[in-house]
Amino acid sequence: MSRRLRSAVATRQDIEQLSPLVRQSRAAHLIARDRLQRLADAQHELAVVTQAHQDALALADESAAAIEATRSRIAAIEAEGNATNILMAG
């Protein structure tokens, strides 16, 4: 029998020797600990995705501003061309 298997058997025997109330209490503790760990993991995940969302919104705002600035520059260049054409035509 491997060391790991012997350890598992010994643990199982120790658990079986506990009173049902103690076993139930231990099981409740393990379940609560697992639930708290899952809650902490989910809260961390929420923080990460919220930050990613905020970063994306900021990038969208920056992109919108850059688009507007480029459109303004195009309009100015086109207006300059129109003015040149009027002067050349006259």
Side-chain angles (χ1 to χ4, degrees):
M1 186 181 308
S2 73
R3 180 177 183 204
R4 222 172 155 175
L5 181 57
R6 282 193 307 270
S7 176
V9 169
T11 300
R12 177 69 182 177
Q13 289 171 346
D14 289 345
I15 290 171
E16 288 173 351
Q17 290 178 6
L18 297 174
S19 72
L21 186 58
V22 171
R23 275 189 271 167
Q24 184 179 8
S25 174
R26 179 71 181 145
H29 167 75
L30 293 174
I31 290 169
R33 187 174 71 181
D34 177 66
R35 185 180 310 113
L36 288 174
Q37 183 60 52
R38 289 184 292 125
L39 177 62
D41 292 346
Q43 289 171 334
H44 175 73
E45 183 179 351
L46 177 61
V48 169
V49 298
T50 299
Q51 184 61 51
H53 179 70
Q54 290 173 346
D55 293 346
L57 290 175
L59 184 59
D61 290 342
E62 290 173 18
S63 297
I67 289 169
E68 192 55 40
T70 303
R71 285 182 178 154
S72 294
R73 199 169 90 230
I74 289 170
I77 293 168
E78 288 174 343
E80 183 182 307
N82 290 337
T84 302
N85 289 338
I86 291 172
L87 290 175
M88 294 177 106

